[in-house]
Amino acid sequence: MTRHLLNIVDFTVDELQLVLELSTRPVEALARPLDGSGVALIFEKPSNRTRQSMEMAVVQLGGHPIYTRGEEVGIDKREPAEDIIRILEGYHAMVAARVFSHSVVDRMAAVASVPVINMLSDVSHPLQALADALTMQREFGTLAGRTIAWVGDYNNVARSLGEVSVMLGAEIRYACPDGYGPSEHEIARLSSLATGDAHAGSDPSWAVGGAHAVHTDTWVSMGQEAEVEERKRVFAGYTVDDSLMSKAADNAIFMHCLPAYRGLEVATEVIDGTQSRVISQGHDRMHAARGALAFLGGVR
Ligand code: CP
Ligand code: NVA
């Protein structure tokens, strides 16, 4: 059966741990599973980290990445997603896509004979969550028993972080404004994934209290630009600043997938301060991408 990476839960807990372990193996130990193969990278939205880290990961595994912008491919405009994937699988060992609607990667995976990788959709961002886990594991040794706070919007990054956290045995606490948080059903789904736990509320001080890692992300994800003014109003009071960070555990770290908007979701003093790990987190995107691609390429 062809394996895909559309959400973190596409992995079992054991597979997730293996992917993270592969991500930390030296490149030379991964035996170039993409030797002589192509990997298509289709982007319907802008990217810095995801494009660059995926291209480098493909090269490190011996493959050749081909980047294409969404306008050029025209998913469901120039031709249906299914036709695109049926053609690309004739050229490439894997196809990766950053899409507006998650249903597009679902439809691609439903017909693909090669792995399809979600490079961010409106629902999830699994490659980001793998990198987040790598950064936190390096910091804490293990996520088991740790408390992770998320302050802000329950978006694609938040959902994937929740999956990875619970699967690795951590407690995740979401603080989101009313109407922008996970549903009770979603919290139950996350909590049921493995030994970790998920909780949600609306008070940032509650979520951050005693937490070992504090995460946030933009209040306005790509595709939500029309809501920018409304969202700035709704999320006022959800800025991660020094005063909020002082409620976290001693030596707590601050994390953000980037791009970040200083003065909105995070204060400059935090993102550019000593507790911030955002740059090593960004660098971990390449290692996580390499681990995920190696796993999908059959490395064990
Ligand atoms: N964090 C992340 O996915 O960044 P890019 O949008 O730059 O790829
Ligand atoms: N939630 C953000 C993440 C960007 C990497 C977005 O979807 O735009």
Side-chain angles (χ1 to χ4, degrees):
M1 197 185 70
T2 306
R3 297 295 305 268
H4 305 289
L5 174 52
L6 306 185
N7 297 291
I8 288 292
V9 293
D10 292 339
F11 296 132
T12 63
V13 170
D14 285 350
E15 288 171 344
L16 172 61
Q17 281 165 341
L18 172 59
V19 168
L20 294 170
E21 190 265 308
L22 291 173
S23 305
T24 61
R25 272 190 215 170
V27 176
E28 314 76 58
L30 292 173
R32 295 171 66 86
L34 293 175
D35 214 3
S37 300
V39 176
L41 306 173
I42 304 169
F43 283 84
E44 285 190 324
K45 302 175 182 175
S47 171
N48 175 23
R49 281 147 290 274
T50 305
R51 175 190 178 176
Q52 299 274 344
S53 62
M54 282 290 280
E55 289 208 20
M56 285 310 300
V58 170
V59 169
Q60 289 171 344
L61 296 175
H64 181 86
I66 295 191
Y67 166 84
T68 321
R69 279 294 307 204
E71 320 62 290
E72 204 178 331
V73 183
I75 301 173
D76 292 332
K77 296 191 181 76
R78 193 160 177 270
E79 55 186 329
E82 289 81 359
D83 286 358
I84 293 170
I85 200 88
R86 286 187 183 111
I87 293 299
L88 291 178
E89 70 187 11
Y91 311 149
H92 294 287
M94 300 178 192
V95 176
R98 167 168 283 196
V99 296
F100 283 98
S101 170
H102 190 82
S103 63
V104 169
V105 284
D106 275 340
R107 284 168 49 214
M108 286 178 162
V111 299
S113 61
V114 299
V116 173
I117 300 159
N118 173 14
M119 295 192 294
L120 181 149
S121 69
D122 55 342
V123 168
S124 60
H125 196 2
L127 293 168
Q128 181 66 52
L130 293 174
D132 297 350
L134 274 187
T135 310
M136 289 189 287
Q137 280 191 342
R138 188 183 316 106
E139 204 72 37
F140 306 136
T142 170
L143 265 65
R146 297 287 173 168
T147 301
I148 297 166
W150 176 274
V151 180
D153 191 18
Y154 187 68
N155 62 14
N156 42 12
V157 173
R159 188 176 289 102
S160 294
L161 179 67
E163 292 179 357
V164 97
S165 301
V166 175
M167 287 173 73
L168 295 174
E171 179 198 1
I172 186 156
R173 292 189 207 138
Y174 294 102
C176 314
D178 288 346
Y180 293 81
S183 64
E184 277 180 33
H185 178 266
E186 177 66 352
I187 286 295
R189 180 189 74 85
L190 289 174
S191 297
S192 71
L193 290 177
T195 54
D197 216 356
H199 299 99
S202 57
D203 178 6
S205 299
W206 158 75
V208 169
H212 302 100
V214 179
H215 290 244
T216 188
D217 184 16
T218 180
W219 297 337
V220 187
S221 285
M222 292 180 276
Q224 297 173 333
E225 290 77 6
E227 300 170 36
V228 63
E229 291 312 321
E230 184 192 341
R231 282 175 171 267
K232 278 186 189 167
R233 263 197 312 279
V234 168
F235 285 92
Y238 283 79
T239 304
V240 179
D241 56 15
D242 266 347
S243 152
L244 188 58
M245 283 302 291
S246 72
K247 300 182 164 68
D250 288 346
N251 304 320
I253 59 171
F254 171 76
M255 297 182 64
H256 190 309
C257 64
L258 306 181
Y261 300 89
R262 288 166 171 78
L264 294 175
E265 75 271 12
V266 60
T268 302
E269 74 231 17
V270 171
I271 192 167
D272 297 326
T274 55
Q275 289 170 288
S276 178
R277 296 294 181 275
V278 301
I279 301 302
S280 51
Q281 181 184 1
H283 292 166
D284 278 331
R285 290 293 309 274
M286 181 174 73
H287 306 305
R290 191 175 61 246
L293 293 173
F295 176 84
L296 293 170
V299 179
R300 295 295 182 269

